[in-house]
Amino acid sequence: MMAVLCTQLRAKESELQSLAQQLSGQAELQAQLERQEEALQRAEVELEAGQDELAAREATHKLEFDKRQSELRREEEAWNQRCEDAAAELGETQEALRVAEARLGQ
């Protein structure tokens, strides 16, 4: 009877050691999973920061583009005005020249 109990105890001990190893393996897997989740969270934070930085850069470039476009429009308007003024002055000069030629022809 004692031999049977000893055999049963050894079988239970072996079973408990196997369960302990399984639990140890599960604990290692759980720890690995937690590390991976933490790494994923850090990556998500970095991604969000990168997206925020990109959005800020895009906004800055848009403002710079709009500012430069406004400057170019003002320059274009100024050049158009100069051309109109020069054309008007040319017309006045041509008229004065015709009048002078007409007086000289008399």
Side-chain angles (χ1 to χ4, degrees), residues 11-98:
K12 282 289 183 191
E13 181 182 15
S14 178
E15 184 180 329
L16 287 175
Q17 285 178 350
S18 177
L19 287 173
Q21 287 176 346
Q22 288 178 1
L23 286 175
S24 176
Q26 287 179 348
E28 288 177 27
L29 289 175
Q30 182 65 33
Q32 186 179 21
L33 178 61
E34 289 173 3
R35 287 190 300 272
Q36 289 175 344
E37 287 176 350
E38 290 171 1
L40 179 60
Q41 288 175 353
R42 285 191 303 273
E44 288 173 345
V45 168
E46 290 176 14
L47 177 61
E48 288 175 10
Q51 289 173 335
D52 291 346
E53 182 180 340
L54 180 60
R57 284 184 186 178
E58 287 177 355
T60 299
H61 288 242
K62 173 88 170 97
L63 289 173
E64 290 172 358
F65 174 80
D66 290 346
K67 179 181 174 185
R68 183 62 182 141
Q69 193 173 30
S70 293
E71 290 171 359
L72 290 173
R73 282 190 189 123
R74 285 192 296 274
E75 288 178 21
E76 180 182 23
E77 290 171 5
W79 277 107
N80 287 342
Q81 186 61 50
R82 286 184 200 136
C83 288
E84 289 175 15
D85 293 346
E89 187 177 332
L90 178 60
E92 291 171 6
T93 302
Q94 288 174 336
E95 182 61 30
L97 182 58
R98 276 191 291 262

